[in-house]
Amino acid sequence: MTNIVNTGNASVDALAEMSISGNVTPVNWYKTILRENGKPYLLAICVLSEIVYWYRPVEVRDEHSGMTIGYRKKFREDLLQKTYNDFAEQFGESRRSVKAAFDRLEEIGVIRREFRNIETNSGMVLNNVMYIDLCVDRLYTCTYLDIPGDDEDVENTGEEIQKQAENQANKPVTKFCTSSYKTLYDPPTKFCKTNTENTTENTTENTEEITYPIIPSGTGVKTDTMDRMDEVRSFIKDNIDYDVLLQCHPTEKMDINELVELMVETIAVKQPVIRINKYDFPYDVVRSRLEKIDFHTMEYVLECLRNNTTKVRNIRSYMLTTLYNAPVTCSNYYKAEVNHDFYGK
């Protein structure tokens, strides 16, 4: 079979027969979507590219004439609804890194987050579900460094975006984000404490992403048990949006605090194995699972505890088992509930 395209390069000719679709990344984003140090913010660029993909309209054609008769949106509701975990799984990043990328994009002004409480047909309430709006005017500015005919000088787009981020560095982006962009992206030093308005975190240097180890090991680091527990407690509360969780579930404050302290004890006091539901698991496995618990996972745990009607002989073991299993079951649980409400009979 003869190739339709003949450029003199076999790879180019073969690629002409492939239909590649999906995200598109304009080259100017590498000049306008920047970290505080002036380098391209690759994760934020990937996130923005995915959001733009969902906002690109789908052409609707007449079946008989083939003429374009209109356009439709890809997502179901008025705004795109996706979670930090959706992006984290897609790009192989941590939830914290994705959230920081969202903070940066919102500081630039290219997206807007909206958090809603949703009630399903079965009466179940999902709190603080994130919706994402795309600010097209700002996207246009980030995409085109020179806009012919514009009354304002837009060649300094990159500098203005950088300056805007610096001016807003000490302002929280949303009520769910107490860490400013500047605080999150100061050049990290190994196991150096960084104080924010409401939280204390440990950071370590990583070429791929900023990670947040809870219990540093080695010399020169605090090793007192109480200090380690305080560090773990601060990390967990930040990870689950503790203050917002209490506002959404004021009658379950005691349950929330008990769950937090159980996670603190389990993570801070290192031991060879931890027993979960009559099975012994390595400490690092349990710790890694508990570190993945976020706001929505905690809501799922609270609902599991609330709906349980069987007699529990060892409540601590039951709570730990629920916490351990929650990160791998909560997403499918909510999807099943939503699918039942929308599509079930």
Side-chain angles (χ1 to χ4, degrees):
M1 179 178 178
T2 305
N3 290 338
I4 299 176
V5 178
N6 187 4
T7 65
N9 182 284
S11 297
V12 175
D13 296 345
L15 190 59
E17 299 180 5
M18 294 179 59
S19 177
I20 299 177
S21 61
N23 298 345
V24 176
T25 304
V27 68
N28 280 341
W29 288 3
Y30 295 102
K31 301 177 183 178
T32 57
I33 311 296
L34 308 174
R35 290 184 179 273
E36 193 173 54
N37 60 8
K39 300 295 184 181
Y41 197 160
L42 298 182
L43 179 55
I45 291 172
C46 290
V47 169
L48 180 59
S49 180
E50 177 69 9
I51 295 172
V52 170
Y53 164 79
W54 282 99
Y55 270 92
R56 278 163 35 203
V58 177
E59 188 179 53
V60 179
R61 291 176 174 269
D62 181 75
E63 184 176 355
H64 300 289
S65 66
M67 300 293 292
T68 300
I69 58 176
Y71 296 88
R72 63 175 178 84
K73 53 186 174 65
K74 294 186 178 81
F75 45 90
R76 178 184 301 165
E77 302 184 54
D78 60 319
L79 296 177
L80 174 64
Q81 192 276 303
K82 289 176 76 71
T83 67
Y84 296 131
N85 288 337
D86 291 336
F87 289 92
E89 292 177 5
Q90 180 175 355
F91 298 120
E93 297 283 346
S94 68
R95 178 184 181 277
R96 182 182 293 272
S97 297
V98 170
K99 184 175 182 296
F102 267 87
D103 291 345
R104 180 58 175 145
L105 291 172
E106 193 162 63
E107 285 174 353
I108 291 173
V110 75
I111 67 165
R112 180 182 64 86
R113 285 170 292 188
E114 183 177 317
F115 294 87
R116 303 175 181 175
N117 295 335
I118 299 176
E119 183 175 354
T120 64
N121 293 338
S122 62
M124 181 179 67
V125 177
L126 305 179
N127 294 305
N128 296 307
V129 178
M130 183 173 71
Y131 287 80
I132 308 162
D133 192 12
L134 182 65
C135 305
V136 180
D137 289 343
R138 193 57 174 161
L139 177 68
Y140 191 92
T141 305
C142 292
T143 305
Y144 301 100
L145 293 177
D146 297 295
I147 307 176
D150 200 308
D151 294 332
E152 298 180 0
D153 178 17
V154 295
E155 291 188 359
N156 58 353
T157 301
E159 295 180 1
E160 286 193 349
I161 292 174
Q162 191 69 21
K163 185 177 179 180
Q164 180 186 5
E166 292 174 358
N167 292 337
Q168 297 182 354
N170 295 319
K171 300 178 182 179
V173 178
T174 70
K175 67 176 182 179
F176 303 102
C177 175
T178 58
S179 299
S180 68
Y181 171 79
K182 180 175 175 53
T183 303
L184 283 172
Y185 288 98
D186 277 338
T189 57
K190 193 171 185 179
F191 305 134
C192 172
K193 265 196 170 183
T194 302
N195 292 323
T196 62
E197 182 180 351
N198 294 322
T199 183
T200 303
E201 298 167 350
N202 290 320
T203 62
T204 184
E205 204 168 294
N206 189 307
T207 56
E208 294 294 330
E209 65 178 14
I210 294 179
T211 57
Y212 299 78
I214 296 179
I215 310 173
S217 59
T219 60
V221 184
K222 294 187 299 181
T223 57
D224 182 79
T225 302
M226 294 303 297
D227 289 335
R228 291 204 306 270
M229 293 182 71
D230 288 341
E231 292 171 358
V232 174
R233 186 177 294 107
S234 176
F235 174 88
I236 290 174
K237 286 186 175 181
D238 179 61
N239 216 32
I240 65 174
D241 293 320
Y242 176 78
D243 293 334
V244 180
L245 192 64
L246 290 184
Q247 292 176 10
C248 296
H249 303 274
T251 61
E252 298 177 285
K253 179 178 180 180
M254 184 177 296
D255 295 334
I256 294 172
N257 287 333
E258 289 178 357
L259 291 167
V260 169
E261 291 307 311
L262 179 56
M263 286 190 285
V264 170
E265 292 175 11
T266 305
I267 295 175
V269 182
K270 188 172 183 178
Q271 47 193 313
V273 295
I274 299 175
R275 175 149 290 205
I276 305 288
N277 195 24
K278 299 180 180 180
Y279 294 96
D280 291 334
F281 291 89
Y283 164 82
D284 289 336
V285 173
V286 178
R287 169 181 167 170
S288 175
R289 187 73 67 83
L290 295 182
E291 288 177 4
K292 295 177 181 177
I293 294 178
D294 58 12
F295 177 89
H296 293 292
T297 311
M298 281 295 289
E299 286 200 313
Y300 169 68
V301 171
L302 290 172
E303 185 169 349
C304 289
L305 297 177
R306 193 185 309 125
N307 294 337
N308 178 60
T309 58
T310 59
K311 183 176 179 60
V312 179
R313 298 183 181 276
N314 188 336
I315 187 62
R316 187 182 187 281
S317 176
Y318 172 73
M319 291 168 61
L320 184 57
T321 301
T322 305
L323 286 167
Y324 178 79
N325 291 329
V328 296
T329 57
C330 109
S331 179
N332 287 326
Y333 170 79
Y334 283 125
K335 285 180 181 178
E337 288 292 322
V338 172
N339 288 339
H340 176 269
D341 290 336
F342 279 104
Y343 304 113
K345 295 181 179 180

